[in-house]
Amino acid sequence: MKGFEVFDLSGDLGLRIFGESLDDLFVSAALGFYSSVTDPGKILVKTEIGVSLEEESLEALLVAWLNELIYLLDAEGFLCKYVDVKSVSQRHLVADLHGEPFDAVRHECGLLVKAATYHGLSVLYDGGTWKATVILDL
Amino acid sequence: MGKEKLIRIDENTVEVPMGYTEGMNVPGRIYIDDELITHLESQAIAQVANVATLPGIVGFSLAMPDIHTGYGFPIGGVAAFDLEDGIISPGGVGYDINCGVRLLRSNLERDRVLPKMKDLVGAFYSSVPAGVGSKGRIKLSPDDEKRVIVKGAKWAVENGFGTAGDIEKTESNGCIDGADPSAISTKAYERGRSQAGTLGSGNHFLEVQYVGEIYDEAAARALGLFKDQVTIMIHSGSRGLGHQVCTDYLPLMEKTANKHGIVLHDRELACAPVHSEEAQLYLSAMKGAANFAWANRQCIMHWCAESIIKVFGGTRESLGLGLVYDVAHNIAKIEEHTVGGRAKRLMVHRKGATRAFPPGHPELPPTYRHVGQPVLIPGDMGRASFVLVGTQGAMKETFGSTCHGAGRIMSRHQAIKSARGRSIHREMEDLGVTVMSVGRSTLAEEMPEAYKDAANVVDVVHNAGIAKKVAKLKPMGVVKG
């Protein structure tokens, strides 16, 4: 199963995200994000950052997760190669991000994402699969 | 779908009637002609109607001819709210708080600059950081960053980035009073710390232009513009700091709306009554982000001026380098307007719309008070951008507001698909436009045909009398993030 797909949307970026478990769903969301920002194949694993989030709903948790990745990229230049989900529920997520800081020489410049939005947001469990739609403001 | 319910008022205006969406407090008005209406999305119309349901909205829920679907509010939307029973909404400002445009003029003419375009665009490209992961040339300490939040463009000038004369040519003198540094989160500060003086990406740009046509000689003279003169247009915003302020406050605004029993037709319309503590906190943070954006554009302009001096020799004075004006096009402000014959202070939201104050308005700098506020409308990188001035018509009809740009007609993916097998870089060179960009697909996404022709957009606002055309600016060189 493909972890994510990008869908067509005026000037912004739409992501459809899939996962057999909530772990997978959050990993796919991160992969969709980083694939839009750069070529994930060129990210090396040099450092690790821990993330712990709590929100009132699964939808809000997904938006908060993507916004955390956006914040880490802006504030620390951090690009993530892979995500290790430590624990997850519909309202909390604890994960370690493994990656390295952005390097203008080695890393391709893709899209600059401002924020994950609530516009058109949905998360549902259907036929044994988690499916989410989220729109990123560019 | 949806368009059939619109009522045409005149050749430049349609009404979104009461009842288009349940709970509308006022009708909607969209400034649009028969040509541009073919691009009008039903979702954007629905958003105009949704904004009309918000408490305390005054007059009409307005949209400009560059309207397209946004988050909550449409892009191109203008809405004013009563300070007593109205609201403030981060969705009516947008994620990029005080995204805006400024125009730097020179006394250089096109013929002198043309042979040096590659040098000039290269100098801009290396002096103004752009794109993903770019870090600014200014390293702000946490205390410095708070000073930027409070002082805006004045901080930049005090620190050597420009001259005192730039301040009065900036909307709100480049600083809205009342920014509270403590209303901005640590995360927002961390995102902004290395981004002062950076361009960003997407539709943000630096553009070398020449004055291709003058529509109003007297106004052009007052703005210091003449035929074939070279100008530089800068389009950027509050960067990660402003984006984080919006992200941080949306959940709080949603909770506050629920607490006050405000029915939201869209989560991105999250809002709070103006008088509430939560609204005042957001407003203090938004002002700080707006001030950050003015400092950002002031620094960028300073480096552009330095680049021009490096390429052509001389000084800022001998090259006639001076700010024409700087406008915000994503902002909410308390302004005085006439409602029902009486002066009233309102919370005016402009989301992808430009302030367009008329001649005589006290907020204009003395040099422009007789001509009206300069309005800067960026177009796509192949056709043209425009300079207009504000009018009494805008004051009467649109809370002193007009359009802000061209608006997309192709999605990014359609543009990338349409660019397959073509070199947009070469096509731009063939058009006489030297381009440099950081992003892997920026040029394709930003190709001219992905946008409406800004000429059609400004014609509507000119014909509707909510701004007056002064000059057309043709692109010669572009830096994109």
Side-chain angles (χ1 to χ4, degrees):
Chain A
M1 182 177 62
K2 198 178 172 187
F4 72 93
E5 58 188 36
V6 170
F7 67 91
D8 207 16
L9 188 85
S10 190
D12 292 323
L13 177 71
L15 286 180
R16 280 193 200 93
I17 305 157
F18 310 97
E20 285 174 4
S21 61
L22 276 181
D23 287 37
D24 286 351
L25 187 76
F26 282 92
V27 168
S28 298
L31 190 61
F33 168 70
Y34 289 109
S35 301
S36 309
V37 168
T38 192
D39 174 359
K42 291 181 183 157
I43 304 174
L44 302 176
V45 175
K46 293 182 180 173
T47 55
E48 169 185 324
I49 293 181
V51 170
S52 175
L53 300 168
E54 267 194 58
E55 293 294 334
E56 288 176 357
S57 67
L58 184 55
E59 286 84 1
L61 191 63
L62 181 64
V63 168
W65 168 240
L66 287 163
N67 278 328
E68 189 70 14
L69 305 182
I70 292 165
Y71 152 72
L72 288 171
L73 177 57
D74 255 14
E76 321 253 343
F78 186 77
L79 291 172
C80 173
K81 175 81 173 176
Y82 73 91
V83 178
D84 183 9
V85 175
K86 297 288 184 190
S87 91
V88 64
S89 71
Q90 301 229 359
R91 292 188 173 196
H92 92 284
L93 173 67
V94 179
D96 287 339
L97 309 178
H98 301 265
E100 64 168 333
F102 183 85
D103 176 343
V105 178
R106 275 191 301 114
H107 294 136
E108 193 179 43
C109 259
L111 300 172
L112 198 154
V113 180
K114 290 174 183 164
T117 74
Y118 289 93
H119 184 83
L121 175 68
S122 71
V123 186
L124 55 94
Y125 190 67
D126 177 31
T129 305
W130 285 99
K131 296 176 183 171
T133 302
V134 63
I135 291 169
L136 306 180
D137 188 34
L138 301 183
Chain B
M1 201 178 68
K3 280 185 211 174
E4 69 284 352
K5 292 187 190 165
L6 299 177
I7 300 163
R8 187 156 280 289
I9 303 294
D10 60 35
E11 60 186 25
N12 299 304
T13 324
V14 295
E15 182 158 308
V16 185
M18 296 293 284
Y20 188 95
T21 292
E22 198 182 330
M24 287 169 75
N25 295 313
V26 296
R29 281 273 166 105
I30 305 174
Y31 287 81
I32 201 156
D33 63 8
D34 277 340
E35 185 179 338
L36 288 175
I37 208 167
T38 58
H39 301 300
L40 181 60
E41 307 140 303
S42 56
Q43 205 177 351
I45 306 170
Q47 290 183 333
V48 172
N50 288 345
V51 171
T53 67
L54 293 174
I57 186 166
V58 174
F60 296 98
S61 167
L62 296 161
M64 299 297 132
D66 43 343
I67 179 174
H68 54 113
T69 304
Y71 304 126
F73 282 62
I75 294 161
V78 176
F81 296 88
D82 191 287
L83 295 188
E84 300 295 320
D85 56 9
I87 54 91
I88 184 166
S89 171
V93 174
Y95 283 94
D96 196 357
I97 296 165
N98 190 5
C99 184
V101 184
R102 66 168 52 197
L103 188 69
L104 173 68
R105 66 168 169 249
S106 74
N107 61 17
L108 295 166
E109 294 196 19
R110 184 185 177 207
D111 288 349
R112 185 169 165 208
V113 174
L114 264 179
K116 294 204 171 179
M117 276 309 297
K118 284 209 164 20
D119 294 342
L120 187 58
V121 171
F124 284 173
Y125 188 83
S126 42
S127 69
V128 180
V132 169
S134 58
K135 287 199 180 341
R137 294 162 59 182
I138 306 166
K139 295 285 167 274
L140 294 173
S141 70
D143 284 346
D144 279 341
E145 205 176 1
K146 286 178 182 161
R147 286 187 197 106
V148 174
I149 292 300
V150 173
K151 291 186 162 185
K154 287 173 192 162
W155 175 89
V157 170
E158 283 171 12
N159 283 274
F161 305 106
T163 67
D166 299 337
I167 297 298
E168 69 159 22
K169 303 278 179 59
T170 305
E171 180 173 328
S172 298
N173 290 322
C175 176
I176 308 182
D177 286 339
D180 177 1
S182 70
I184 293 175
S185 71
T186 307
K187 277 187 173 175
Y189 281 116
E190 287 174 0
R191 284 181 74 175
R193 195 150 294 153
S194 61
Q195 292 188 342
T198 62
L199 189 62
S201 188
N203 61 3
H204 291 171
F205 64 79
L206 301 175
E207 191 168 288
V208 184
Q209 311 164 324
Y210 70 95
V211 178
E213 193 173 346
I214 302 264
Y215 304 105
D216 184 325
E217 278 292 346
R221 208 173 309 119
L223 269 48
L225 299 175
F226 58 88
K227 186 94 172 28
D228 287 327
Q229 172 190 24
V230 169
T231 58
I232 312 298
M233 187 172 270
I234 296 161
H235 181 200
S236 187
S238 51
R239 311 290 292 103
L241 184 140
H243 312 160
Q244 189 68 36
V245 166
C246 185
T247 294
D248 287 340
Y249 276 93
L250 274 172
L252 178 66
M253 293 289 122
E254 194 178 3
K255 278 188 196 124
T256 310
N258 291 337
K259 189 169 89 183
H260 290 268
I262 299 170
V263 178
L264 299 177
H265 286 246
D266 182 330
R267 284 184 84 170
E268 294 272 340
L269 286 176
C271 60
V274 177
H275 56 76
S276 67
E277 199 182 319
E278 294 89 345
Q280 291 303 313
L281 259 184
Y282 169 70
L283 190 58
S284 305
M286 187 220 71
K287 287 173 177 178
N291 292 346
F292 186 92
W294 274 311
N296 185 36
R297 290 197 291 274
Q298 179 67 34
C299 293
I300 291 173
M301 181 182 78
H302 176 70
W303 293 322
C304 287
E306 277 189 350
S307 300
I308 296 169
I309 291 166
K310 191 170 138 199
V311 172
F312 292 96
T315 62
R316 198 171 150 141
E317 291 72 30
S318 71
L319 293 167
L321 298 174
L323 178 58
V324 175
Y325 206 64
D326 177 303
V327 290
H329 54 220
N330 279 5
I331 204 156
K333 282 173 153 182
I334 296 174
E335 293 174 354
E336 189 173 293
H337 291 276
T338 305
V339 180
R342 293 167 66 178
K344 204 166 169 55
R345 291 174 77 229
L346 301 170
M347 181 64 75
V348 181
H349 292 64
R350 297 191 182 94
K351 204 256 189 100
T354 313
R355 198 184 74 173
F357 281 173
H361 195 284
E363 280 204 35
L364 300 189
T367 38
Y368 295 153
R369 205 159 286 167
H370 65 293
V371 71
Q373 179 213 302
V375 170
L376 310 169
I377 307 299
D380 62 77
M381 62 184 174
R383 282 172 290 195
S385 297
F386 293 86
V387 179
L388 297 87
V389 284
T391 59
Q392 288 295 349
M395 220 53 195
K396 275 187 208 144
E397 293 185 22
T398 56
F399 304 104
S401 312
T402 196
C403 63
H404 88 306
R408 292 191 83 94
I409 42 173
M410 250 187 222
S411 70
R412 290 185 317 98
H413 285 98
Q414 283 170 326
I416 290 169
K417 212 167 150 188
S418 157
R420 239 168 242 157
R422 294 160 57 183
S423 164
I424 302 302
H425 192 274
R426 187 157 359 101
E427 288 179 22
M428 295 301 296
E429 299 273 336
D430 290 345
L431 280 173
V433 183
T434 306
V435 287
M436 289 183 82
S437 74
V438 180
R440 62 186 170 196
S441 56
T442 309
L443 279 190
E445 291 165 9
E446 293 294 309
M447 62 203 272
E449 69 217 59
Y451 286 88
K452 292 173 210 163
D453 189 344
N456 297 337
V457 173
V458 298
D459 278 346
V460 173
V461 296
H462 177 87
N463 294 335
I466 57 168
K468 189 171 71 163
K469 289 201 293 184
V470 175
K472 180 198 276 185
L473 307 171
K474 298 280 290 174
M476 299 170 70
V478 183
V479 173
K480 286 270 188 188

